[in-house]
Amino acid sequence: MDLYKAAFLLGAFICSVGGTEIDGYTKTEGAWVLSLNKRQYMVNNVADCAAKCDAETSFTCKAFAYVEKDQECWTAATNSKTELIVRKQSSALYEKNKYLLECMNGIGADYRGTKDRTKTGTLCQRWDVKSPHRPNFTPQTHPLHDLDLNFCRNPDLDSQGPWCYTTDPDNRWDHCNVPSCTENCIHCNGEDYRGNTSTTENGFTCQHWESQKPHNHGYNPSALPEKYLEENYCRNPDGSPRPWCFTTNPSKRWEFCFIPRCKSEPPTIVPETTCITGEGQAYRGTIAVTETGKTCQSWSAQTPHRHSRTPENYSCKGLDNNYCRNPDNERRPWCYTTESETRWEHCTVPRCEDAADPDEGVIPPEGDDCYEGNGSNYRGITSETISGKKCQRWSAQTPQKHNKTPESFPLA
């Protein structure tokens, strides 16, 4: 629950980072994107490959894979938002940042994020189907607008921003709640804030996220691309009450930033009342006891435990009464307890897919969880990818069938 937990849970700290970076792209070593729409080129270096992606005319290039050993360049019309990313040891995957953004510039004509519900919470209809509504905009008629799956888009330059056809037969289309990349205000606790404030509430200048001076930390922008740790802008990568940053003052490690609250409506969620998916951040049920049977403390109370997870600080997290919730990106819903000797505990909330999480109960090691070289000797317990996806057990064959089993590789 402390300031550094999220960075640890989302990915192992990398002991050394190398390689050439390309402006405007996020790089992932040892990765390859599956794409039916791709082209191959022979190039001299990674910069030439990026130029091929930028100049692509047969499709919108969202990413490219570069194999330095063979000087191979593969441009692709997909990225990690829409297609599976697989391991390929000799490859480096470069994804265009503008297609990874979950916020919009201007009216959102270039928005390519993955929001798929309207502002009222209705699921969007796929752009390539004709039911329940026959669309005027399809991937075939508007190939340059990236009408992928059922994601919100703005192919007709609607002044109100991205929209979609809905799966409600009685409501043909509606706008989506996509936050502005430049709006210098926050909804909720500012986890989606993408503004450029770079000073703290007491006037300290923020330290650049990629820098380790004057303060060493684990919030590596390349390891946490979905957190948009750009420049030295205030961000909230760990579920804190509001955006913050490390400071350039050696005697002040970090501090919150003062950013006003937005006057527009916050993003909507579809509440889960009887079970949870993912980490249970949408859970709005009424379970109010922990996994060991302890009664939960009310979120608005400060006894027996004082805390900052209050309804005021986390206005969009449903902190009603003493119900179990996940306001700060924990692994699953939790609560403070009414027993003074136990500050907080997780709650037992059933999963909607009715499948147990094999990683529950794993306790992080005392030492650093990092690797050297290519990581072949890594024996840590990180079990999530850099984009936050849960790893499949090596002994399991679902959902991915493979031959990398404990039996086949007993020394690995």
Side-chain angles (χ1 to χ4, degrees):
M1 308 289 282
D2 60 25
L3 191 61
Y4 311 104
K5 191 166 188 178
F8 181 83
L9 291 177
L10 285 170
F13 297 140
I14 299 175
C15 295
S16 61
V17 179
T20 303
E21 304 302 325
I22 301 295
D23 287 343
Y25 288 84
T26 293
K27 178 184 178 183
T28 305
E29 289 279 8
W32 186 273
V33 63
L34 298 181
S35 178
L36 295 177
N37 204 356
K38 61 181 183 291
R39 295 189 67 181
Q40 182 185 12
Y41 303 92
M42 300 304 295
V43 296
N44 293 321
N45 51 53
V46 66
D48 289 347
C49 191
K52 292 291 186 184
C53 182
D54 292 338
E56 195 66 72
T57 57
S58 56
F59 53 81
T60 300
C61 182
K62 299 179 183 178
F64 68 85
Y66 178 62
V67 183
E68 183 179 12
K69 182 177 181 181
D70 300 318
Q71 293 185 307
E72 287 182 352
C73 172
W74 293 83
T75 60
T78 56
N79 59 15
S80 59
K81 291 282 188 181
T82 55
E83 291 295 338
L84 185 66
I85 301 298
V86 297
R87 285 182 55 80
K88 187 170 182 179
Q89 187 173 357
S90 59
S91 170
L93 178 66
Y94 291 80
E95 300 176 84
K96 281 188 178 179
N97 290 336
K98 69 178 182 179
Y99 295 125
L100 297 176
L101 284 175
E102 284 297 346
C103 58
M104 68 178 186
N105 294 296
I107 61 172
D110 60 350
Y111 173 68
R112 297 298 184 268
T114 57
K115 287 189 179 294
D116 60 1
R117 293 184 182 272
T118 70
K119 61 185 179 182
T120 60
T122 304
L123 186 68
C124 293
Q125 174 184 311
R126 287 180 62 106
W127 295 96
D128 59 354
V129 303
K130 299 178 181 180
S131 176
H133 307 287
R134 181 177 289 272
N136 296 332
F137 297 89
T138 70
Q140 291 72 35
T141 60
H142 295 76
L144 298 181
H145 289 280
D146 296 302
L147 304 181
D148 303 319
L149 303 176
N150 65 335
F151 300 144
C152 300
R153 294 290 184 262
N154 193 0
D156 61 346
L157 305 182
D158 188 305
S159 61
Q160 298 300 308
W163 57 275
C164 68
Y165 299 106
T166 86
T167 51
D168 180 357
D170 298 324
N171 185 24
R172 178 170 170 79
W173 69 276
D174 202 354
H175 290 108
C176 306
N177 266 336
V178 180
S180 170
C181 296
T182 57
E183 191 174 27
N184 206 32
C185 62
I186 60 173
H187 286 115
C188 308
N189 58 328
E191 290 174 303
D192 295 328
Y193 176 69
R194 300 292 181 263
N196 57 6
T197 295
S198 58
T199 55
T200 71
E201 58 189 0
N202 285 316
F204 293 110
T205 300
C206 293
Q207 174 181 315
H208 279 247
W209 291 99
E210 72 271 15
S211 174
Q212 295 294 322
K213 294 180 180 179
H215 305 290
N216 189 277
H217 62 90
Y219 292 90
N220 190 320
S222 61
L224 301 169
E226 74 282 4
K227 301 300 181 181
Y228 293 95
L229 304 179
E230 305 155 302
E231 303 291 334
N232 64 334
Y233 302 146
C234 300
R235 293 291 184 260
N236 187 0
D238 61 347
S240 289
R242 58 188 192 276
W244 56 275
C245 67
F246 296 104
T247 87
T248 53
N249 186 328
S251 61
K252 185 67 176 179
R253 181 168 174 79
W254 71 274
E255 192 171 70
F256 287 119
C257 304
F258 175 75
I259 303 169
R261 293 199 173 275
C262 300
K263 295 181 180 179
S264 56
E265 288 295 315
T268 57
I269 69 160
V270 179
E272 298 170 346
T273 58
T274 59
C275 59
I276 62 172
T277 57
E279 296 172 340
Q281 292 170 335
Y283 178 64
R284 296 297 183 268
T286 57
I287 292 176
V289 293
T290 71
E291 58 190 356
T292 62
K294 296 178 176 64
T295 300
C296 292
Q297 174 182 315
S298 175
W299 295 100
S300 59
Q302 292 294 321
T303 56
H305 305 290
R306 292 189 60 81
H307 62 93
S308 62
R309 273 74 175 175
T310 64
E312 293 74 27
N313 285 340
Y314 293 81
S315 57
C316 303
K317 302 297 184 178
L319 302 185
D320 306 315
N321 299 315
N322 65 335
Y323 303 143
C324 298
R325 294 290 185 262
N326 187 5
D328 56 352
N329 302 325
E330 260 292 326
R331 295 183 66 117
R332 51 195 169 107
W334 59 277
C335 68
Y336 297 104
T337 85
T338 53
E339 298 186 12
S340 57
E341 63 273 16
T342 303
R343 181 168 172 79
W344 69 275
E345 279 188 345
H346 286 117
C347 303
T348 301
V349 182
R351 292 196 168 273
C352 297
E353 61 269 26
D354 195 28
D357 184 347
D359 294 326
E360 297 292 7
V362 175
I363 300 174
E366 291 293 332
D368 290 336
D369 193 30
C370 61
Y371 67 85
E372 296 178 351
N374 64 1
S376 60
N377 293 321
Y378 174 69
R379 295 299 182 268
I381 63 166
T382 292
S383 57
E384 292 183 358
T385 71
I386 59 174
S387 62
K389 295 178 177 63
K390 291 280 198 298
C391 292
Q392 175 181 316
R393 278 179 174 264
W394 296 101
S395 58
Q397 292 295 319
T398 57
Q400 316 298 339
K401 190 172 179 62
H402 64 96
N403 62 0
K404 305 293 193 298
T405 64
E407 292 75 26
S408 300
F409 295 85
L411 299 181

